[in-house]
Amino acid sequence: MIRNYFKIAWRNLWRRRGFTFINITGLSIGMTASFLMLLYVSFELSYDNFHNKMDNIYRVVADIKTPSDNIEANITAWAVPPNLEKDFPEITSAVRINDLNMIVRKGDLKFKETNAIAVDSSFFSVFDFELLQGNPKEVLKKQFSIVLSETTAKKYFGDQNPIGKSLKITEEGFNSTVTGVMKDFPENSHIQADIILSLTTFTQHLDKELDTRWGSYDAAAYILVNPNTNTDQLTAKFPAFLEKHSGEFMKQSKMFVTLNLEPLKSLYLESTRGGTGGGSMTNVYIFSIIAIFILLIASINFINLTTARSVERAKEVGIRKVMGAEKQQLSLQFIGESIITCLIAFFITTLLIIIILPFFNEIAGKVISDGLFSNYSNIFKLFGISLAIGIFAGIYPSIVLSSFKPIQVLKGNFSTGGKGVLLRKSLVIVQFTISIILITGTIIIYNQMEYMRNQELGFNKDRLLILEAESSTSQLSLKNAIDNIPGVKFTSLGSSVPGGGNSSAYSEIENKAGDLQIANLDLYFVDHDYIPQFDLEILAGRAFSKDFASDSTKAMIINEEAVKLLGYSNPKNAIGAKFKQWGREGQVIGVVKNFHFNSLHDNIGPLTMRMETNRNDLISVKLASNNMKQTIAEIEKLWESFLPEQPFDYFFLDDSFNEQYENEERFGNLFLYFASLAILISCLGLLGLAAYSTLQRRREIGIRKVIGASVSEIVNLLSKDFLKLVMIAFAIASPIAWYVMYNWLQDFAFRIDIQWWMFLLSGGSAILIAILTVSFHAVKASLSNPVKSLRTE
């Protein structure tokens, strides 16, 4: 019996090869796209869940209230974590993590390690990063102890055992000892490091007062609490803790701190404080919905094409019922055919995923999966999805087909009825509603990306080469030597460049009322040449000048936002305002026009600029447009001459600034690819329905041609019903698309407005796609010989 079912199923699939091909192709593309997207979603949701104590690990964060603003920091004061561990028995361990950029040397090898951190000795007790060599409790206890990742250990020591060997770190060349080797951090960790330095290096040698600093904010802080600890009750004790240890300091500085806890498991996707690697729960929701949509569209295609062909199989069902077949047997037969179709699609999908996965990892910007077979549960999941689609997509057609009354169908009185037609029309509307939402989303995402690329930034970033010189005493000499290279137009020194991060400083600046207003303000250290090199516009006062010796000690330049913060109605009124900042006192000498010194995700904040030569780590070099490679080679020779102890390290400012939007670019590309696949699957379904509709109306088409109907009239006849459905889909999709994309745009401080023409373009695109899809068969039918179609009746 089962063998007979399979034989009949195969014959039916083969007899209508065109429809079978459309079904299998649509299912294969749909399952491939959906499974890849679900892999991506699963990977994003897996961040940090490999830590066994994940549910008991929290990041300690600070809300800092000043007289001018409220700062939501993702860090705490250096003194907070060790004192929390001492004062609260609920806290088992506390660990601080501070990002480092440091020069590491071994003989002639020298690298600038930008992915390094300094941590407390409890790091490997709190987090479950795997140590390949070394004792987790001991590797970071001593000062100048370092732990290397497996890859970094090979970079410096090859196949030798690195334990106990020395590396020179920082520009000063301190000797450090390798005490451990760790497995490379998993990609789904928001904490990343190639080198870990013991924090005791600072607290016992380089900066012995670090543990007592209640006003210095640099390190991220994590605590491990006892199981079943009520974190709300623990957080409620923090105000008294801060009052006890730093109450007097907060009153004097007028900076009042509130400590909060963020669960480790929510940091990557849900924290709004930054510093967690840039995940987005909104994107996870969007991709999850698209994956479900694509599976839904593929299933709709199957149901539509199967029920549409029900008339052809009516006589088969009637004869089998007369011969004694029961309704249950017929249902199983048709569900079995559905499952066979889906299993064929499963094998094709498996092959497609194996081929596409490396490319998918590339456009996602991370290794979502090493391969389909790297985790055998993936195969079972994919098989389960295929089987589920086969069963659920086959249930309705099986019920319809097995319910035919044999007497009626054998007399030829069978018709599909209004319910079947209504179902197919409803499913087409659902398909194109989803497609129009995706087209609209693609248009809006593309325009937002273009807006960000072309936004007026307020500074010039073209052909700017940035050298990282680590505040060397030779950097000024190097800058002057670079100035003399023919291919160099301009150079300047600074502590930061736009988009490259910046310091913040406790500041007191005279406001409109004549009071010294306290605020924590962003701060750039620059030289005389910085403002003209970046083409920053001075709105009032003047830029720093070599003609005024006091500029290097007593002058400050602020931006427009700082002027607003201080209450001045006109930038000119801020000139001469007194300031105190980091031990320096002086006056505001100029106001610079607002420029985007941070990402376009953030609003432009108040900025201060001062001259302080020993804090300028960066040399900005404006290159001429011709022969840039040769100019860079000449700069490298000078670098080796002036800074032989440092590796030659540089980047272009425009590339660095654009890297801030890599996540959005990747999201946009992934959205575009999968939206295109969803539209393709919709078109396949529409193509199948159009083909079947044409086949069913071939006699009508023949008669119309005989009485003189033109090709365009026949095409219009066959197309108008589908176009009505697309128009209904457009009306449903537009408000949904607006709501979803409006909320997505809220993540950007600078964003486009959603325009009416975007919806018109998406609706027009959907109509054009439908016309082209349906017209293929309509034109073919209108050009066929009417004699043949009439003869077949």
Side-chain angles (χ1 to χ4, degrees):
M1 179 67 73
I2 295 176
R3 182 183 175 187
N4 187 50
Y5 283 165
F6 274 104
K7 189 181 291 185
I8 294 171
W10 178 254
R11 285 174 180 171
N12 278 308
L13 293 174
W14 185 253
R15 186 181 306 135
R16 288 294 183 188
R17 292 186 290 276
F19 291 103
T20 301
F21 173 79
I22 290 174
N23 260 337
I24 292 175
T25 301
L27 284 172
S28 299
I29 295 173
M31 287 194 295
T32 300
S34 297
F35 191 75
L36 288 174
M37 296 188 78
L38 291 174
L39 274 181
Y40 179 87
V41 168
S42 177
F43 181 83
E44 291 290 284
L45 292 172
S46 74
Y47 263 76
D48 299 313
N49 67 5
F50 57 88
H51 298 294
N52 293 326
K53 300 179 279 289
M54 177 185 68
D55 291 336
N56 297 319
I57 300 174
Y58 294 83
R59 184 171 71 175
V60 185
V61 296
D63 294 334
I64 307 168
K65 181 176 178 57
T66 72
S68 301
D69 55 3
N70 292 304
I71 303 166
E72 293 185 350
N74 63 339
I75 52 180
T76 61
W78 280 103
V80 166
N83 283 283
L84 282 175
E85 187 176 349
K86 289 177 186 177
D87 286 16
F88 296 102
E90 302 98 316
I91 299 175
T92 305
S93 299
V95 58
R96 292 165 291 184
I97 301 176
N98 188 37
D99 293 332
L100 298 175
N101 287 332
M102 63 181 183
I103 296 167
V104 179
R105 299 195 297 274
K106 177 183 177 288
D108 294 333
L109 284 176
K110 53 185 177 181
F111 296 97
K112 183 166 186 181
E113 298 290 353
T114 58
N115 193 24
I117 56 177
V119 302
D120 284 306
S121 59
S122 56
F123 179 79
F124 286 106
S125 299
V126 174
F127 299 103
D128 292 309
F129 295 110
E130 184 179 349
L131 268 178
L132 302 176
Q133 291 179 270
N135 185 330
K137 296 181 180 179
E138 302 292 332
V139 289
L140 294 169
K141 275 195 172 181
K142 296 180 180 179
Q143 57 181 295
F144 293 108
S145 296
I146 59 172
V147 177
L148 305 179
S149 70
E150 194 173 7
T151 300
T152 306
K154 288 181 179 178
K155 180 170 74 174
Y156 287 102
F157 299 100
D159 294 329
Q160 297 178 17
N161 184 357
I163 301 299
K165 291 186 168 58
S166 294
L167 290 173
K168 291 184 181 297
I169 62 171
T170 74
E171 187 183 356
E172 290 81 3
F174 294 113
N175 280 318
S176 62
T177 303
V178 179
T179 55
V181 176
M182 59 189 177
K183 198 169 184 179
D184 291 352
F185 279 15
E187 190 143 13
N188 58 341
S189 168
H190 86 275
I191 301 170
Q192 290 293 328
D194 297 321
I195 295 180
I196 299 179
L197 176 66
S198 61
L199 196 57
T200 53
T201 304
F202 294 88
T203 59
Q204 295 179 13
H205 186 84
L206 301 179
D207 195 349
K208 294 181 181 180
E209 297 180 357
L210 208 58
D211 284 347
T212 60
R213 288 186 181 166
W214 291 92
S216 179
Y217 288 76
D218 282 309
Y222 298 82
I223 59 171
L224 175 65
V225 301
N226 292 320
N228 303 318
T229 296
N230 188 318
T231 54
D232 290 334
Q233 292 179 1
L234 177 61
T235 305
K237 300 175 185 178
F238 288 164
F241 164 81
L242 288 172
E243 181 62 31
K244 169 187 171 183
H245 289 285
S246 64
E248 194 61 36
F249 170 79
M250 289 191 292
K251 291 173 185 175
Q252 290 176 358
S253 63
K254 297 183 181 179
M255 295 176 66
F256 297 93
V257 179
T258 302
L259 297 178
N260 292 298
L261 298 178
E262 289 185 323
L264 176 67
K265 58 188 175 184
S266 69
L267 289 185
Y268 176 73
L269 288 174
E270 297 179 30
S271 177
T272 59
R273 294 174 185 261
T276 58
S280 169
M281 184 59 81
T282 301
N283 291 353
V284 167
Y285 288 142
I286 289 173
F287 280 136
S288 300
I289 292 169
I290 293 175
I292 294 169
F293 277 176
I294 291 176
L295 274 179
L296 184 62
I297 290 172
S299 300
I300 286 172
N301 280 353
F302 184 86
I303 294 171
N304 264 347
L305 290 176
T306 305
T307 54
R309 290 181 54 223
S310 59
V311 176
E312 294 183 21
R313 304 194 64 180
K315 290 186 178 179
E316 174 195 340
V317 171
I319 292 171
R320 293 184 66 183
K321 279 197 169 184
V322 168
M323 299 296 291
E326 297 181 359
K327 185 175 181 179
Q328 183 180 4
Q329 290 176 311
L330 292 170
S331 295
L332 288 174
Q333 158 110 29
F334 296 127
I335 291 175
E337 289 182 19
S338 172
I339 292 173
I340 289 172
T341 303
C342 290
L343 290 180
I344 295 171
F346 162 74
F347 288 111
I348 296 172
T349 299
T350 302
L351 181 62
L352 288 174
I353 291 174
I354 292 171
I355 295 170
I356 294 172
L357 194 54
F359 172 71
F360 180 68
N361 286 334
E362 184 179 335
I363 61 174
K366 56 185 78 176
V367 181
I368 302 299
S369 174
D370 293 324
L372 185 61
F373 297 102
S374 63
N375 185 348
Y376 283 99
S377 66
N378 289 336
I379 298 294
F380 293 112
K381 289 175 184 176
L382 185 59
F383 181 81
I385 291 172
S386 305
L387 195 62
I389 291 174
I391 293 171
F392 289 110
I395 286 176
Y396 179 79
S398 70
I399 292 173
V400 172
L401 292 169
S402 62
S403 299
F404 293 164
K405 295 180 180 179
I407 295 176
Q408 290 182 345
V409 297
L410 291 176
K411 285 182 177 181
N413 294 330
F414 172 77
S415 65
T416 54
K419 290 184 179 179
V421 173
L422 179 61
L423 174 69
R424 288 195 292 279
K425 288 183 176 180
S426 300
L427 294 179
V428 169
I429 290 172
V430 171
Q431 277 188 316
F432 271 88
T433 298
I434 295 170
S435 296
I436 292 169
I437 291 172
L438 295 177
I439 293 171
T440 307
T442 302
I443 292 169
I444 292 172
I445 290 170
Y446 173 80
N447 278 275
Q448 175 64 20
M449 293 299 103
E450 282 297 300
Y451 175 79
M452 292 168 68
R453 291 189 198 102
N454 301 313
Q455 172 74 1
E456 180 59 46
L457 300 174
F459 67 92
N460 190 337
K461 60 183 174 67
D462 296 334
R463 301 192 308 280
L464 267 174
L465 183 77
I466 312 299
L467 306 173
E468 301 187 63
E470 291 293 326
S471 298
S472 170
T473 54
S474 302
Q475 68 176 204
L476 182 58
S477 300
L478 174 60
K479 172 190 179 297
N480 293 333
I482 292 173
D483 258 332
N484 295 323
I485 297 175
V488 172
K489 299 177 70 175
F490 218 106
T491 63
S492 70
L493 295 173
S495 62
S496 186
V497 291
N502 47 271
S503 302
S504 59
Y506 176 83
S507 310
E508 296 177 69
I509 306 180
E510 186 179 1
N511 60 22
K512 182 182 178 181
D515 301 321
L516 283 177
Q517 183 167 326
I518 296 173
N520 197 66
L521 302 178
D522 289 320
L523 170 63
Y524 271 19
F525 293 111
V526 301
D527 68 355
H528 302 91
D529 301 318
Y530 191 94
I531 289 176
Q533 183 182 37
F534 283 84
D535 291 337
L536 303 182
E537 184 180 346
I538 295 292
L539 298 178
R542 61 178 178 83
F544 297 116
S545 172
K546 293 179 181 179
D547 297 332
F548 297 87
S550 61
D551 280 5
S552 60
T553 56
K554 297 182 178 180
M556 175 184 283
I557 292 175
I558 61 177
N559 70 348
E560 290 177 276
E561 286 302 311
V563 171
K564 292 178 184 177
L565 178 69
L566 297 169
Y568 295 109
S569 58
N570 190 310
K572 292 180 180 179
N573 299 334
I575 305 302
K578 297 176 182 178
F579 77 85
K580 294 181 181 180
Q581 187 184 69
W582 274 8
R584 293 287 178 92
E585 296 184 23
Q587 292 182 329
V588 173
I589 64 167
V591 175
V592 70
K593 186 177 180 179
N594 279 345
F595 66 96
H596 289 276
F597 59 90
N598 283 324
S599 161
L600 291 179
H601 289 98
D602 305 316
N603 288 309
I604 298 175
L607 176 70
T608 62
M609 304 176 80
R610 281 182 28 220
M611 291 185 63
E612 199 157 326
T613 55
N614 63 343
R615 296 181 180 273
N616 294 330
D617 292 343
L618 305 178
I619 304 175
S620 303
V621 183
K622 182 76 168 182
L623 300 178
S625 58
N626 57 325
N627 215 346
M628 292 171 61
K629 287 185 178 180
Q630 182 180 337
T631 304
I632 294 172
E634 292 181 30
I635 292 172
E636 184 174 7
K637 289 179 183 178
L638 289 174
W639 181 281
E640 292 293 338
S641 175
F642 284 92
L643 302 174
E645 74 284 354
Q646 295 190 30
F648 182 59
D649 197 9
Y650 71 90
F651 60 89
F652 281 96
L653 182 59
D654 53 354
D655 293 336
S656 174
F657 200 84
N658 292 337
E659 281 175 7
Q660 298 176 97
Y661 314 115
E662 279 188 349
N663 287 341
E664 286 73 25
E665 290 280 358
R666 291 186 183 119
F667 170 77
N669 289 335
L670 287 171
F671 193 98
L672 173 62
Y673 292 139
F674 288 114
S676 300
L677 289 175
I679 294 164
L680 173 62
I681 297 168
S682 295
C683 289
L684 284 173
L686 197 60
L687 185 69
L689 283 177
Y692 190 77
S693 176
T694 303
L695 185 67
Q696 289 295 100
R697 302 178 71 173
R698 62 187 181 277
R699 185 181 183 188
E700 177 189 349
I701 293 169
I703 294 172
R704 287 179 178 274
K705 287 197 71 176
V706 168
I707 62 176
S710 65
V711 172
S712 60
E713 288 173 333
I714 293 174
V715 170
N716 182 60
L717 172 71
L718 296 173
S719 303
K720 64 181 181 181
D721 289 339
F722 290 108
L723 294 182
K724 288 178 184 176
L725 301 180
V726 175
M727 293 298 293
I728 295 171
F730 173 72
I732 297 170
S734 295
I736 298 173
W738 179 88
Y739 177 78
V740 172
M741 297 316 300
Y742 174 82
N743 283 284
W744 179 78
L745 286 170
Q746 299 313 300
D747 288 338
F748 301 89
F750 295 87
R751 52 185 176 265
I752 61 170
D753 294 322
I754 300 177
Q755 304 288 338
W756 61 269
W757 62 264
M758 297 175 179
F759 298 98
L760 191 63
L761 180 59
S762 62
S765 299
I767 291 171
L768 180 62
I769 290 168
I771 289 174
L772 292 175
T773 303
V774 175
S775 295
F776 173 78
H777 283 290
V779 172
K780 184 179 177 182
S782 64
L783 294 175
S784 62
N785 189 340
V787 174
K788 291 183 178 180
S789 59
L790 293 174
R791 187 183 294 162
T792 58
E793 291 298 320

